[in-house]
Amino acid sequence: FPSHDKITYTVDKGKKRGLNKVAALIRASCIRTLRISKRTSPPGSPPFAKTRGGLRVIEYVTYQDTAIVGPVKFPNSNFFNQPVPHIHEFGGTFFSRKAYFNYPERSYMGHTLKQLIARGAIPREFSVSMGHYFNF
């Protein structure tokens, strides 16, 4: 019989591989969800990215039993009191240095996750939760 350490190693290796695959699937699907256009998207639908970068720069990191998937916040995008990906994802009223702005919800991470779960691409064993802040 194989030793306990060998079984534990094999299980951990398989878990990490599965998390990496699911996180990469979510990341790739989110990037495909964001269309490139100079105009704004209608409320309730994913936002349009203005360039190939910007909101489409999405990364993932896996830890022991979790994976974090989300957009990268650029350090020079501190115009509002929240990061731009947060503004699009959850909507609401945000203030800049000069005025208040009201943005409708244009979820792209949540929208993509719902699509993947609906078509059965993500197994039911994975629980998905989304934080209110992408970057602390």
Side-chain angles (χ1 to χ4, degrees):
F1 290 103
S3 68
H4 178 69
D5 293 338
K6 190 171 183 178
I7 293 172
T8 305
Y9 170 77
T10 306
V11 168
D12 289 344
K13 186 176 171 185
K15 188 184 336 177
K16 185 171 176 91
R17 186 172 170 205
L19 278 173
N20 276 321
K21 282 187 173 188
V22 170
L25 172 70
I26 294 169
R27 176 186 175 270
S29 298
C30 286
I31 291 171
R32 280 193 304 271
T33 300
L34 290 168
R35 303 289 179 219
I36 297 174
S37 177
K38 294 294 178 188
R39 58 191 177 91
T40 59
S41 64
S45 65
F48 292 140
K50 305 303 178 213
T51 62
R52 293 244 175 244
L55 291 174
R56 291 172 59 102
V57 180
I58 298 173
E59 300 293 331
Y60 74 92
V61 177
T62 57
Y63 293 104
Q64 294 168 352
D65 290 338
T66 60
I68 298 174
V69 183
V72 174
K73 178 190 174 291
F74 297 106
N76 59 357
S77 65
N78 291 330
F79 183 73
F80 293 102
N81 65 325
Q82 295 290 334
V84 172
H86 175 85
I87 292 171
H88 283 298
E89 189 69 32
F90 301 106
T93 302
F94 302 94
F95 63 91
S96 70
R97 296 178 198 119
K98 298 178 182 179
Y100 286 89
F101 296 91
N102 191 16
Y103 283 88
E105 179 181 328
R106 290 184 173 96
S107 174
Y108 57 102
M109 296 297 289
H111 174 79
T112 304
L113 291 173
K114 287 176 190 171
Q115 282 183 335
L116 289 172
I117 291 170
R119 74 173 199 216
I122 298 177
R124 297 245 181 241
E125 291 82 24
F126 288 93
S127 64
V128 180
S129 62
M130 186 178 304
H132 285 271
Y133 296 98
F134 296 109
N135 296 301
F136 296 101

